[in-house]
Amino acid sequence: MPRPIAAHIHLSALTHNYNVARQHAGSAKVWAVVKANAYGHGLHNAVQAFAHADGLALVEVDNAIKLRELGWTKPILLLEGFFHGDDLHTVQQHQFDIAVHCNEQIEHLEQAKLSVDGESSIIKVHLKINGGMNRLGFKPEAVAAAYQRLSAIAAVKVVDLTMHFANADDEHNARLPMAEQMRRFELAKASLGEIKLEASVSNSAANLLKHDLPNSWVRAGIMIYGASPLPASAAELDLLPAMTLRSELIAIQEIAAGEAVGYGSRFVAPKPMRIGVIACGYADGYPRHAVDGTPILVNGVRTALVGRVSMDMITVDVTAISDAKVGSEVIMWGQGLPIDEVAQSSGTIGYELMCAITGRVKLITEV
Ligand SMILES: *Cc1c(COP(=O)(O)O)cnc(C)c1O
């Protein structure tokens, strides 16, 4: 028998959450963002659950190919474009849309000598604007020149202007409010004069909060996996958990008051306690920084992590759970325990927990 830990992926929850994203998007289409192995949920699951999606967006070229191999025939967008000139023939062959965010990428496109053989050989480019986040993209004043160069390439068609918010969960951020990012976006748009392109600016947080942004497409990531990018809980946003990380108790220790648990003897029992040992550790992706008190479900009852997270095990208080025994079911997050609560206890966000699930954790597909 394998170790009892597994991540159960709920396809109907993924589908439901995508539909919620679509409701917020109004008339815009919705990219289901599936980078990082669909935020840890598995590309094969994503292709199934998002079968009705308008398109899939990701950053890994090899995984984009895998999506085609899995039978995905609708649009695929590479959110950071390509990383090497060599990738361009792959991009063209598989009809990937690409973001173009810097002049080096334009040079590669100019030099690639891409042949043009009908509509399907045209590479659709999403021209990326730096709205003040200062990671990727052209400053507004550089957009017209970038557009001109791209338009001169026979195998390229610029289809939209795209931008990513630094603070979509914090509209009035003092350093960079959303309105300032939109102002820069509008400057970029205006610099193209009569040329009208589509637009894509919203991620999950912006899609949930702002329904008046000029999107032809929104890019929904975290929300379709059932976690919240906002202070509001996932449940309040009508989002369902799509991953339940489940394991079992593999041992129980009865300890006296004053005894310590685990590495560093961080937790000291204030009274006689029963400690459950779970087959789940940081080598499975459970956050090592989780503090004493981080919530965990044992036999459906909410209890607390006690002691430091180790590589293959974590320890919980089962003193009050009288039916807890070796083999009892444990849920680290998912159905019955929002991933966002666990993330908060570990000083991180649901995104990181999902993506950190490691290769030794089996993904089990459920409807
Ligand atoms: C990851 C990503 C998204 C999705 O963001 P969420 O906050 O998960 O919705 C959208 N756009 C770009 C460019 C991304 O890289």
Side-chain angles (χ1 to χ4, degrees):
M1 288 287 278
R3 276 173 84 236
I5 187 168
H8 298 254
I9 307 302
H10 313 294
L11 297 186
S12 56
L14 292 169
T15 303
H16 167 86
N17 296 334
Y18 179 88
N19 291 339
V20 173
R22 184 170 262 172
Q23 283 161 22
H24 285 276
S27 61
K29 295 185 196 174
V30 179
W31 294 108
V33 179
V34 299
K35 62 193 177 187
N37 195 30
Y39 290 44
H41 294 66
L43 292 179
H44 56 295
N45 291 322
V47 164
Q48 237 181 299
F50 303 137
H52 63 312
D54 302 307
L56 301 179
L58 73 174
V59 300
E60 305 89 350
V61 179
D62 52 343
N63 279 347
I65 296 169
K66 201 167 154 198
L67 290 173
R68 288 287 184 236
E69 289 167 357
L70 286 166
W72 186 264
T73 55
K74 288 188 273 186
I76 293 176
L77 168 60
L78 292 169
L79 292 161
E80 298 174 4
F82 56 96
F83 299 95
H84 303 284
D86 295 349
D87 291 334
L88 276 173
H89 291 281
T90 304
V91 164
Q92 195 178 33
Q93 178 195 343
H94 293 284
Q95 296 182 44
F96 299 148
D97 285 27
I98 56 172
V100 166
H101 62 79
C102 65
N103 283 317
E104 288 80 355
Q105 287 178 323
I106 298 180
E107 262 155 52
H108 282 301
L109 282 160
E110 286 169 339
Q111 288 162 9
K113 305 272 181 290
L114 297 161
S115 57
V116 181
D117 180 19
E119 186 68 20
S120 67
S121 69
I122 303 291
I123 299 174
K124 292 188 179 137
V125 163
H126 303 246
L127 188 53
K128 178 116 178 174
I129 315 300
N130 175 3
M133 190 178 190
N134 293 321
R135 284 190 326 192
L136 302 182
F138 295 92
K139 291 202 168 71
E141 59 271 25
V143 166
Y147 178 84
Q148 292 307 332
R149 278 178 77 182
L150 287 163
S151 299
I153 304 169
V156 163
K157 179 174 167 58
V158 181
V159 294
D160 85 1
L161 294 181
T162 182
M163 184 178 74
H164 193 58
F165 288 114
N167 302 307
D169 55 342
D170 179 20
E171 181 177 355
H172 302 292
N173 182 277
R175 294 202 175 113
L176 187 65
M178 280 175 87
E180 171 58 17
Q181 277 202 254
M182 281 313 299
R183 190 188 68 82
R184 297 184 195 193
F185 185 80
E186 293 299 333
L187 270 181
K189 207 159 115 183
S191 76
L192 297 180
E194 292 302 296
I195 300 152
K196 295 284 173 261
L197 299 175
E198 296 196 320
S200 175
V201 296
S202 291
N203 58 0
S204 294
N207 186 42
L208 287 163
L209 284 175
K210 306 276 289 176
H211 294 157
D212 57 350
L213 294 172
N215 287 299
S216 318
W217 288 80
V218 305
R219 306 179 305 271
I222 195 68
M223 72 177 295
I224 61 179
Y225 301 103
S228 172
L230 304 174
S233 71
E236 285 163 347
L237 298 168
D238 187 27
L239 302 173
L240 302 174
M243 172 194 288
T244 299
L245 183 60
R246 195 182 289 170
S247 187
E248 292 178 4
L249 295 184
I250 58 168
I252 301 241
Q253 297 290 344
E254 312 267 355
I255 65 172
E259 286 203 72
V261 177
Y263 285 121
S265 301
R266 179 176 80 182
F267 177 79
V268 178
K271 55 174 195 218
M273 290 178 78
R274 293 174 80 222
I275 304 296
V277 182
I278 303 165
C280 173
Y282 63 77
D284 300 299
Y286 195 87
R288 186 173 173 279
H289 292 104
V291 296
D292 292 338
T294 298
I296 295 192
L297 299 183
V298 176
N299 280 349
V301 178
R302 194 174 164 120
T303 182
L305 180 88
V306 290
R308 196 173 279 169
V309 172
S310 42
M311 184 183 287
D312 310 311
M313 285 173 272
I314 51 181
T315 36
V316 279
D317 178 7
V318 294
T319 313
I321 306 173
S322 54
D323 62 351
K325 59 179 196 292
V326 170
S328 289
E329 183 200 65
V330 181
I331 288 175
M332 268 63 68
W333 60 68
Q335 290 182 342
L337 179 56
I339 193 168
D340 295 316
E341 287 188 38
V342 180
Q344 230 163 33
S345 284
S346 319
T348 184
I349 51 179
Y351 295 74
E352 188 180 16
L353 298 187
M354 297 174 181
C355 297
I357 291 290
T358 63
R360 79 175 184 182
V361 178
K362 224 177 11 174
L363 300 184
I364 296 180
T365 303
E366 294 185 358
V367 291

